[in-house]
Amino acid sequence: MHLMQLPREVLLGENLKGEAVNVAKRLGLGERALVLYGPKTKEIAGKDIEKSLRESFEVSALVIREASMEEVEKTLTKIRDDNSDWLIAVGGGSIIDVAKLASFKAGVPFISFPTTASHDGIASANASIKDLGTKTSVKAVPPVAVIADVRVIKTAPYRYLAAGVGDMISNLTAVKDWQLAHRIKGEYYSEYAASLSLMSAKMVIKNADIIRLGNEESVRKVVKGLISCGVAMSIAGSSRPASGAEHLFSHALDAIAPKPALHGEQVGVGTIIMAYLHGLKWERIRETLKKVGAPTNAYELGIDPEYIIEALTIAHTIRPERYTILGKDGLTREAAEKAAKITGVI
């Protein structure tokens, strides 16, 4: 059996902080709501949403500091204590990821209210939880609804929007890896999910000139693409359409670099290298990232070249069951250094 779980509603527009009430009523989510936000996102949108919900629901709130199992457990305790019927996550990746896993474990729905457009987790079923050394994703549930307020997202530093482009452009190499696994390992492959995923990547290449302006139209383009990525993953039943060797490289950097960059920034750089390994037009990928102002090398990531090489050599060990261009044995140090030098990453 192949199960596809998708968000039931996606709202994209301006001044949507008050819309959570209507969405929750339309979907019949229940009387008791739990609002999750970070210290910053509470000020940006969290407390406004909390206030508007209080008029129609019993509301409690919780501040989330990071995407860790400790915070997930804290959320689960709160859900049990307050008997919450549903959650709304107001924030970036970490807060949405905590909500995702907690709502999955507690069996209650959650609404995603992203405050940045920096990665495709805003509508996907996969949660990245920092635990046990390396940060890899676990399958949970997608949000029952996504409310993307373009004005709110636009207030985040432009860097986050450029990172969202990096996360989307990575679909080009992720789909190549998926096709490889399909041919070599007989892994399940969905042409529909792959096409949808590639469409998002091609869209950002085509619209790089609009995205780089950092205006409301830019945010709309990126958010639509990121939501499509999430939907592609839901159709595939895994993160395959949007996560290949370039994501393993980013997870490896998270594990070894003293100061990792944003997820989408690292993934974008990883995509340049993996595209080279796949024999794709990696220059075009680098060009797009440059155009939108995303990092294209170690220096711009603020990560020492030594860590880039090491991450490339250990990436294949992060998720051994996930077959990619890196194969079973990974890259040798020489091959890693050569690929990074040829593509100008180091």
Side-chain angles (χ1 to χ4, degrees), residues 113-134:
F113 191 104
T115 53
T116 63
S118 61
H119 71 75
D120 57 25
I122 57 180
S124 78
N126 307 294
S128 287
I129 303 291
K130 188 169 72 242
D131 230 40
L132 315 169
T134 50

Side-chain angles (χ1 to χ4, degrees), residues 91-319:
S94 300
I95 292 141
I96 291 171
D97 282 342
V98 168
K100 211 177 272 182
L101 194 53
S103 89
F104 174 61
K105 286 180 179 273
V108 298
F110 89 99
I111 293 174
S112 168
F113 191 104
T115 53
T116 63
S118 61
H119 71 75
D120 57 25
I122 57 180
S124 78
N126 307 294
S128 287
I129 303 291
K130 188 169 72 242
D131 230 40
L132 315 169
T134 50
K135 189 172 171 182
T136 52
S137 69
V138 288
K139 198 162 179 255
V141 282
V144 70
V146 181
I147 305 173
D149 187 320
V150 179
R151 285 210 179 144
V152 169
I153 294 168
K154 202 181 142 233
T155 62
Y158 175 77
R159 179 189 175 193
Y160 289 92
L161 199 64
V165 171
D167 205 12
M168 256 188 290
I169 213 161
S170 76
N171 297 3
L172 295 171
T173 48
V175 169
K176 277 280 179 231
D177 280 332
W178 194 16
Q179 290 168 342
L180 204 59
H182 173 60
R183 289 197 293 263
I184 292 172
K185 297 281 178 194
E187 205 178 290
Y188 165 81
Y189 178 73
S190 157
E191 207 158 334
Y192 183 51
S195 301
L196 185 55
S197 174
L198 291 175
M199 188 177 73
S200 300
K202 287 170 183 162
M203 189 272 309
V204 289
I205 294 174
K206 195 176 108 201
N207 291 308
D209 286 318
I210 296 172
I211 293 167
R212 69 189 288 183
L213 301 173
N215 58 23
E216 264 137 19
E217 178 64 6
S218 316
V219 172
R220 275 175 186 272
K221 295 265 184 232
V222 175
V223 170
K224 276 183 179 172
L226 291 172
I227 291 170
S228 297
C229 295
V231 169
M233 290 188 264
S234 284
I235 291 166
S238 78
S239 62
R240 265 299 193 185
S243 172
E246 73 299 319
H247 271 68
L248 300 177
F249 163 74
S250 175
H251 289 315
L253 279 178
D254 287 337
I256 63 171
K259 242 188 105 195
L262 292 175
H263 169 79
E265 293 176 331
Q266 294 182 166
V267 162
V269 171
T271 303
I272 299 172
I273 299 171
M274 303 314 163
Y276 161 75
L277 296 177
H278 272 291
L280 299 174
K281 295 193 182 95
W282 60 268
E283 297 91 343
R284 192 157 157 242
I285 292 166
R286 186 175 67 176
E287 209 40 54
T288 301
L289 291 169
K290 270 205 176 109
K291 211 181 262 185
V292 300
T296 57
N297 57 43
Y299 170 73
E300 289 167 357
L301 282 175
I303 293 173
D304 193 281
E306 193 44 52
Y307 291 115
I308 300 284
I309 297 167
E310 194 189 334
L312 285 169
T313 58
I314 64 167
H316 68 288
T317 64
I318 304 282
R319 288 185 76 166

